[in-house]
Amino acid sequence: MNIRISATIISSLLIAGDAFTATPSSATTASRANGRLFSTTNPDQAVETKVGTAEEVRTSDMDLDIADIFPMAETKQKAVPLTAEEINTRRHQQLEKMREIDQTSKQLQKEDLQIVHEDEDMVVVDKPSGVLTVAGKQPNANIAQSVFDALEVDLPTADHMVVHRLGFDTSGMLVFAKNKAAVRGMNTNFRTRKVKRVYEALVTGHIAKNEGLISLPIMRDYEFPPYVRISTDDHQRALLDLDPEDVGKKILEMPKASITKYKVVSREEFKGHPVTRVTLQSISGRYHQLNVHMAAFGHPIVGDKVYGFNGEAAPNGGLTNKELEELAPNPNRASEELKAAVAEASKDMHPCVHAKQIGFRHLPFPRNMSNSALTPHFRY
């Protein structure tokens, strides 16, 4: 049977639960209320699940366990530096694969658009998976152009409407501006981290704690470009001899502090395998943060062909077994056998992650903004 779970509005941020943290060491750092909230579901992306050992999660009886802060690991297994030529070759090969996938983006007509909210300043749409937010360098089908063509917008092109993006495979809440004032206002909100985004995902295995934080720094992955990995001193040292003119500036960026809040919705089964339905909140909003954090946590997102089992990126968020024990201790992490089984069972699916809610604390438009929410049922 399909599990249908009513979406709820999360009104406050609770810092509690099974937390583990890593921060760049000093050596690495030195050397290197008015608002609106939109919520939706994605009924098209249905996955057959059945309740297994489901537990009701209530704020009153949360299992709180805040762990120690773990420094970046010093490991005996040293990272092997790569030459600029090796990095650029790997990046080129991977970008070619990504460009081929982008060409499969679905063309949406006006009648295909699921508009959650529209006013004179913005439009909020429920983006399906398998659709690009913007075209990129090639003239690929994209939802921004579909929205621009379907609505009256006081902006010159579809690209001018874009204030944030969802990945090709990610479905859910996507906001577009309709005029210059809205663009400025929402860009300020995103830049100052006043936007609250909540995702719902299905992840591999049963997460033990009911909620918690994952706080691990993220760096660009020079071994698997253009993806990301959890940063360690060892991998930062592997970049010391590289020149930004040869490999680009992104590869050599300092590690970025990244925090993900998770909360268990239910513990279920997917095709006979244990999975957990969770809400995920990206507090820091980094590139591919949710995917790499869940992989390092030991519960990769179901259907994730990049950071999941045998994916395109480094396994386990790029951490060795020793680093996992030190940086992301989790005795209940999914076994390699379970990851392989779930990956096989979901091989024909998009990643099971949906941008469920988006909210703005302050929108500096010349009128009052009120809270609003749409909360229909959500299911995979």
Side-chain angles (χ1 to χ4, degrees), residues 24-281:
S25 71
S26 57
T28 301
T29 303
S31 64
R32 302 263 314 132
N34 282 333
R36 51 179 51 182
L37 177 65
F38 303 102
S39 177
T40 189
T41 69
N42 186 25
D44 294 332
Q45 199 173 35
V47 173
E48 289 296 319
T49 65
K50 63 180 180 179
V51 174
T53 56
E55 298 179 11
E56 184 179 358
V57 179
R58 298 186 298 274
T59 304
S60 59
D61 61 2
M62 288 176 185
D63 186 5
L64 305 183
D65 179 20
I66 300 181
D68 294 332
I69 294 178
F70 296 86
M72 295 180 71
E74 294 281 355
T75 62
K76 293 181 179 179
Q77 183 178 344
K78 298 297 182 182
V80 179
L82 298 178
T83 65
E85 182 179 0
E86 290 172 322
I87 293 172
N88 290 332
T89 297
R90 294 184 183 192
R91 178 168 48 204
H92 176 76
Q93 292 172 344
Q94 194 59 52
L95 288 175
E96 279 298 314
K97 292 181 183 179
M98 296 169 71
R99 278 191 281 268
E100 291 178 6
I101 294 174
D102 289 348
Q103 292 172 6
T104 68
S105 180
K106 303 171 189 173
Q107 179 68 56
L108 300 180
Q109 304 301 323
K110 182 176 182 178
E111 57 271 20
D112 299 322
L113 296 175
Q114 298 183 46
I115 297 178
V116 176
H117 171 88
E118 184 183 4
D119 60 33
E120 63 191 43
D121 294 308
M122 66 170 70
V123 58
V124 185
V125 298
D126 190 354
K127 183 184 96 64
S129 57
V131 177
L132 291 170
T133 297
V134 295
K137 295 182 179 180
Q138 302 299 321
N140 298 312
N142 64 94
I143 194 168
Q145 190 64 52
S146 297
V147 171
F148 182 81
D149 293 340
L151 305 178
E152 293 185 7
V153 178
D154 187 20
L155 290 168
T157 68
D159 286 350
H160 286 81
M161 300 176 65
V162 178
V163 293
H164 75 118
R165 305 183 185 194
L166 291 178
F168 176 85
D169 287 316
T170 304
S171 61
M173 295 290 83
L174 187 59
V175 181
F176 293 102
K178 295 177 65 177
N179 55 58
K180 292 181 180 179
V183 171
R184 288 193 297 268
M186 283 188 278
N187 279 341
T188 299
N189 271 257
F190 278 102
R191 186 173 60 254
T192 57
R193 304 196 186 286
K194 292 179 180 177
V195 180
K196 179 177 176 181
R197 288 179 283 184
V198 179
Y199 296 77
E200 186 161 331
L202 214 59
V203 301
T204 305
H206 283 163
I207 297 177
K209 302 294 182 180
N210 288 338
E211 66 171 29
L213 294 176
I214 302 170
S215 181
L216 294 166
I218 293 174
M219 63 180 286
R220 289 283 177 164
D221 194 344
Y222 62 95
E223 292 183 312
F224 298 91
Y227 301 121
V228 297
R229 71 189 307 146
I230 305 304
S231 181
T232 65
D233 279 349
D234 199 22
H235 286 291
Q236 285 295 310
R237 292 191 188 99
L239 304 177
L240 291 177
D241 293 332
L242 295 173
D243 190 318
E245 292 187 2
D246 296 328
V247 296
K249 293 181 180 179
K250 282 189 178 295
I251 287 285
L252 301 180
E253 287 178 344
M254 292 294 294
K256 298 181 183 296
S258 307
I259 302 175
T260 299
K261 178 188 177 187
Y262 72 85
K263 186 173 182 179
V264 171
V265 176
S266 58
R267 297 173 177 88
E268 310 171 8
E269 286 189 2
F270 164 62
K271 297 186 179 180
H273 306 296
V275 295
T276 303
R277 187 182 298 269
V278 293
T279 59
L280 301 173
Q281 187 173 354

